[in-house]
Amino acid sequence: MASIKDVAAEAGVSVATVSRVLNDHPSVSADARTRVLTAVEALGYRPNAVARSLRTDQTHALGLVISDVLNPYFTELARSVEEEARALGYSVIIGNADERPDLQDHHVRTLLDRRIDGLLVSPTDGGSPLMLEAARAGTPMVFVDRWIPGVDVPVIRTDGRAAVRDLVAHLHGLGHRRLAIIAGPAATTTGQERVGAFREALRAYGIELPDSYIGQGDFQAESGRRVTEEFLRLPEPPEVVFAADNLMTLGALDAIRARGMRVPHDIALAAFDDVPWFVHTDPPITAIAQPTGELGRAAVRALVDRIEGRPSTSVTLPARLVVRRSCGEPSQSRRSTP
Amino acid sequence: MASIKDVAAEAGVSVATVSRVLNDHPSVSADARTRVLTAVEALGYRPNAVARSLRTDQTHALGLVISDVLNPYFTELARSVEEEARALGYSVIIGNADERPDLQDHHVRTLLDRRIDGLLVSPTDGGSPLMLEAARAGTPMVFVDRWIPGVDVPVIRTDGRAAVRDLVAHLHGLGHRRLAIIAGPAATTTGQERVGAFREALRAYGIELPDSYIGQGDFQAESGRRVTEEFLRLPEPPEVVFAADNLMTLGALDAIRARGMRVPHDIALAAFDDVPWFVHTDPPITAIAQPTGELGRAAVRALVDRIEGRPSTSVTLPARLVVRRSCGEPSQSRRSTP
DNA sequence: CTGAAAGCGCTTACAG
DNA sequence: CTGAAAGCGCTTACAG
């Protein structure tokens, strides 16, 4: 592959001049410029980004570590991140942690070794020493969706409390009183918050959330199935299952079907995270929708601000309830349609 | 961030010795080794992969350009690619072309500039000059799923012909005679092949595939909707719609619902590409499943073989029919269960 | 076993 | 406006 030296030789100028032309430096004569451009064209020359990065100490690459690529929520997040990054002149390198702290660390390490300009992460756990150290050492970093308390890093996330209250109002209006939740891992902020918000919303109606109605999931479909089976074996099973993410909802649906029960006739089901497929499931699922695209874009903007030395702050966006048919007949006060 | 010089100073050795320790070079004294390792630990040193890449002319990174990250098929492919690559000591940088040739070119260019060791691509179109030139110039390259005829690059793909024949047998057995297909873009190999396989399979039953039963889609949900609407407006609408990918199937489902029709009672629906959600749609969708994970792994192995100078060859894997309920009552000879 | 030195492909003060 | 030169952080023959 042709290097800058070859171009310089071909154009009859120094490599410095070639570099200046390539970087749109103002002080280059028109003549030199055209000769360089001609040589570039003739040789099919493309600058070596590796060499440039070493010299400038910038890679124009952002790292994104997400918890699970197979989760459509994160996939949509990744897409919006890449879009915004591209618009700002960065490319993004995605690492999939698969909800495994060790894999998450592997990707953080690889990304850091590759000297990405900044790191976007949705942590799977409470934070490894590696990640904590990176944040402390001043690596530009931003948390998206999930975050780690006590670390001084901007957080771009959704506040689902109002939407959870709307959901509980909807369920209560439908006559449901025994409500259960499939929680996410306690090590994640979203895992904890969603249970908290649910419990708080129930309290407003004088409803308790007993321990037997809190199932411990891990944001994966299989755990949703397992927890739901446990719920259904209870002497007094819940009338509603609220799953803290879209994949556990799928598992819950499986478990309910396997029992020969029907949603919403025999049991109601609702989800945190709305995904396109929820319109097509049987029945369509009532869900809490996050502004995923906006989340990704805001996260990139915050990170790039940090990288380029501008101040950046945390952003919290509201979620909203999307009522469909999985909890029973939509009430008069439905908030949205599929 | 500490550099190799800092480590050398701290350990009281030369940078050459540090480098040797880091790269497990045999000729290093035990004493030097422990001093270097201690210094590395003390400084929290991590080698700069950018500098290493410049020197060794290897990045240990693979580029993967896929047509659409929001498509669960490609997302699963990407996951298996990353897994196998990681096992072989490579990381992968994903570029999402969003079915847009210009975006595809953008990613190929960026990846090439970053000097990835090899490129895995599932082309959106017939191949841009850039990609053709890269292949010709000897960039290690492998096509997955889709490929470009006439380019001398190994192809790792699925042969769906047998499965399409099984599907047609299933549909014919159910009494269906008017069968239509929502095709993918003619510029993609998978777009063409699936229509060809379908037509061929129909011919075995003496059934023609008239032009009016071939709708032109683009592998995106919206096109599935549009084409299905056109089918339904025909004087003699088809009894079956076969969508050439999972997203167009979703669009078809929407269009059918919007008309107030039911699957499979009023019209049957089948898909190419099986995804976990098809078990949960209303009704569960009969689909042709690709061995996606194996495809991704085989593609990485072929690419790494090329990169490391071993011979590599094309691989074709069979797809299989998964019968569910979207085409009517499962026949006796159902091949699989959800 | 070890170190001095060259060199990977760039960018960028510095001098002219 | 232009070029010679230094230097980014590594690796690796070469000599000892």
Side-chain angles (χ1 to χ4, degrees):
Chain A
M1 189 154 285
S3 83
I4 196 171
K5 272 188 200 165
D6 303 313
V7 177
E10 173 84 11
V13 298
S14 71
V15 295
T17 297
V18 175
S19 177
R20 289 195 189 95
V21 171
L22 263 23
N23 292 291
D24 284 320
H25 188 100
S27 48
V28 180
S29 66
D31 174 54
R33 182 177 307 276
T34 57
R35 275 160 55 209
V36 167
L37 261 18
T38 310
V40 163
E41 188 65 27
L43 297 161
Y45 171 73
R46 293 251 81 216
N48 183 329
V50 174
R52 179 178 289 183
S53 291
L54 179 59
R55 181 55 229 248
T56 61
D57 203 29
Q58 297 182 84
T59 51
H60 280 281
L62 268 27
L64 169 65
V65 179
I66 54 176
S67 330
D68 183 8
V69 245
L70 296 187
N71 185 327
Y73 166 72
F74 284 113
T75 243
E76 193 187 338
L77 186 69
R79 182 183 195 254
S80 66
V81 162
E82 195 275 334
E83 250 168 20
E84 184 73 9
R86 180 155 31 85
L88 299 178
Y90 289 81
S91 47
V92 2
I93 307 184
I94 303 173
N96 171 33
D98 240 341
E99 301 286 2
R100 284 168 44 188
D102 62 316
L103 245 190
Q104 170 176 277
D105 247 35
H106 164 85
H107 285 117
V108 170
R109 197 184 328 269
T110 306
L111 260 8
L112 256 21
D113 286 356
R114 290 194 190 281
R115 299 297 191 266
I116 42 121
D117 291 342
L119 193 58
L120 234 37
V121 13
S122 177
T124 336
D125 61 1
S128 64
L130 175 67
M131 196 147 65
L132 267 23
E133 170 57 23
R136 214 195 46 69
T139 308
M141 201 157 144
V142 162
F143 289 137
V144 226
D145 183 52
R146 321 203 305 206
W147 87 98
I148 300 177
V151 179
D152 183 27
V153 158
V155 179
I156 314 298
R157 66 184 197 94
T158 301
D159 181 347
R161 277 176 302 183
V164 169
R165 277 197 298 273
D166 289 347
L167 172 64
V168 169
H170 169 66
L171 295 168
H172 190 269
L174 257 15
H176 300 305
R177 295 296 178 270
R178 297 199 307 276
L179 319 191
I181 184 170
I182 309 177
T188 63
T189 45
T190 49
Q192 292 178 214
E193 285 169 356
R194 291 170 193 176
V195 176
F198 193 55
R199 187 197 305 277
E200 212 174 272
L202 290 179
R203 187 168 301 145
Y205 289 90
I207 300 176
E208 280 307 302
L209 183 61
D211 284 350
S212 58
Y213 279 9
I214 306 178
Q216 191 55 60
D218 60 8
F219 283 142
Q220 301 284 317
E222 182 48 37
S223 71
R225 180 192 328 257
R226 180 179 42 74
V227 168
T228 304
E229 278 163 6
E230 289 165 16
F231 285 157
L232 297 178
R233 275 197 299 268
L234 251 25
E236 194 165 50
E239 296 158 327
V240 178
V241 172
F242 173 40
D245 89 335
N246 74 86
L247 296 179
M248 297 192 298
T249 306
L250 232 44
L253 210 45
D254 278 347
I256 293 167
R257 290 251 173 87
R259 272 277 196 137
M261 299 170 75
R262 299 278 304 172
V263 175
H265 185 73
D266 303 313
I267 189 164
L269 183 62
F272 203 105
D273 283 351
D274 192 20
V275 292
W277 296 86
F278 278 167
V279 177
H280 302 278
T281 47
D282 175 24
I285 306 283
T286 290
I288 289 175
Q290 297 196 51
T292 319
E294 188 44 44
L295 225 48
R297 286 186 291 272
V300 170
R301 285 192 298 263
L303 183 58
V304 171
D305 280 344
R306 277 222 141 182
I307 291 171
E308 299 179 353
R310 277 168 259 123
S312 71
T313 63
S314 294
V315 177
T316 304
L317 266 22
R320 65 175 225 287
L321 177 66
V322 177
V323 173
R324 298 203 181 90
R325 294 194 280 103
S326 65
C327 297
E329 281 307 298
S331 66
Q332 298 290 91
S333 64
R334 66 194 302 190
R335 277 188 165 60
S336 177
T337 52
Chain B
M1 189 154 286
S3 83
I4 196 170
K5 274 188 198 164
D6 303 314
V7 177
E10 173 85 10
V13 297
S14 71
V15 295
T17 298
V18 176
S19 177
R20 289 194 189 95
V21 172
L22 263 22
N23 293 289
D24 283 319
H25 189 100
S27 49
V28 181
S29 68
D31 175 54
R33 181 178 308 276
T34 57
R35 274 158 57 207
V36 167
L37 261 17
T38 310
V40 163
E41 188 65 26
L43 277 62
Y45 170 74
R46 295 251 80 215
N48 183 328
V50 174
R52 180 177 289 184
S53 291
L54 179 59
R55 182 54 230 248
T56 61
D57 202 30
Q58 296 182 82
T59 51
H60 279 281
L62 268 27
L64 169 65
V65 179
I66 53 177
S67 331
D68 183 7
V69 246
L70 296 186
N71 185 326
Y73 166 72
F74 284 113
T75 241
E76 194 187 337
L77 185 70
R79 182 183 196 253
S80 66
V81 162
E82 195 278 331
E83 250 168 19
E84 184 73 8
R86 179 154 32 85
L88 299 179
Y90 289 80
S91 47
V92 2
I93 307 184
I94 303 172
N96 171 33
D98 240 340
E99 302 287 1
R100 283 169 43 190
D102 61 316
L103 244 190
Q104 169 176 278
D105 247 34
H106 164 86
H107 285 117
V108 170
R109 197 185 326 270
T110 305
L111 260 7
L112 256 21
D113 286 356
R114 290 193 190 283
R115 299 300 191 264
I116 41 121
D117 291 343
L119 192 58
L120 233 38
V121 13
S122 177
T124 334
D125 60 2
S128 63
L130 175 67
M131 196 148 65
L132 267 22
E133 170 55 24
R136 214 195 45 70
T139 307
M141 201 156 144
V142 162
F143 290 135
V144 226
D145 183 53
R146 319 205 302 208
W147 87 97
I148 300 176
V151 180
D152 183 27
V153 158
V155 179
I156 314 298
R157 66 185 196 94
T158 302
D159 182 347
R161 277 175 302 182
V164 169
R165 277 197 298 272
D166 289 348
L167 172 64
V168 168
H170 169 67
L171 295 168
H172 190 269
L174 257 16
H176 299 304
R177 296 295 178 270
R178 295 199 309 276
L179 319 191
I181 185 169
I182 309 177
T188 63
T189 46
T190 50
Q192 294 177 215
E193 285 168 356
R194 291 171 193 175
V195 176
F198 193 55
R199 187 197 307 276
E200 212 174 275
L202 290 180
R203 186 167 301 147
Y205 289 90
I207 299 177
E208 279 307 303
L209 183 61
D211 284 350
S212 59
Y213 280 8
I214 305 177
Q216 191 54 60
D218 60 8
F219 284 142
Q220 301 283 318
E222 182 48 37
S223 71
R225 182 193 326 259
R226 179 179 42 74
V227 168
T228 304
E229 278 164 5
E230 289 165 15
F231 284 156
L232 297 178
R233 274 198 299 268
L234 251 26
E236 193 165 52
E239 296 159 327
V240 177
V241 171
F242 173 39
D245 89 336
N246 74 86
L247 296 179
M248 296 193 297
T249 306
L250 233 45
L253 210 45
D254 278 348
I256 293 167
R257 290 252 173 86
R259 272 276 194 136
M261 299 169 75
R262 300 276 303 170
V263 175
H265 185 74
D266 302 312
I267 189 164
L269 183 61
F272 203 105
D273 284 350
D274 192 20
V275 292
W277 296 86
F278 278 168
V279 176
H280 302 279
T281 47
D282 175 24
I285 306 283
T286 289
I288 289 176
Q290 297 196 51
T292 319
E294 188 44 44
L295 224 50
R297 287 187 289 273
V300 170
R301 285 192 298 264
L303 183 58
V304 170
D305 279 344
R306 277 222 141 182
I307 292 171
E308 300 179 353
R310 276 168 260 122
S312 70
T313 62
S314 294
V315 177
T316 304
L317 266 22
R320 66 175 223 288
L321 177 67
V322 177
V323 173
R324 298 203 181 90
R325 294 195 279 103
S326 64
C327 298
E329 280 306 297
S331 65
Q332 298 289 90
S333 63
R334 66 192 302 189
R335 277 188 165 59
S336 176
T337 53

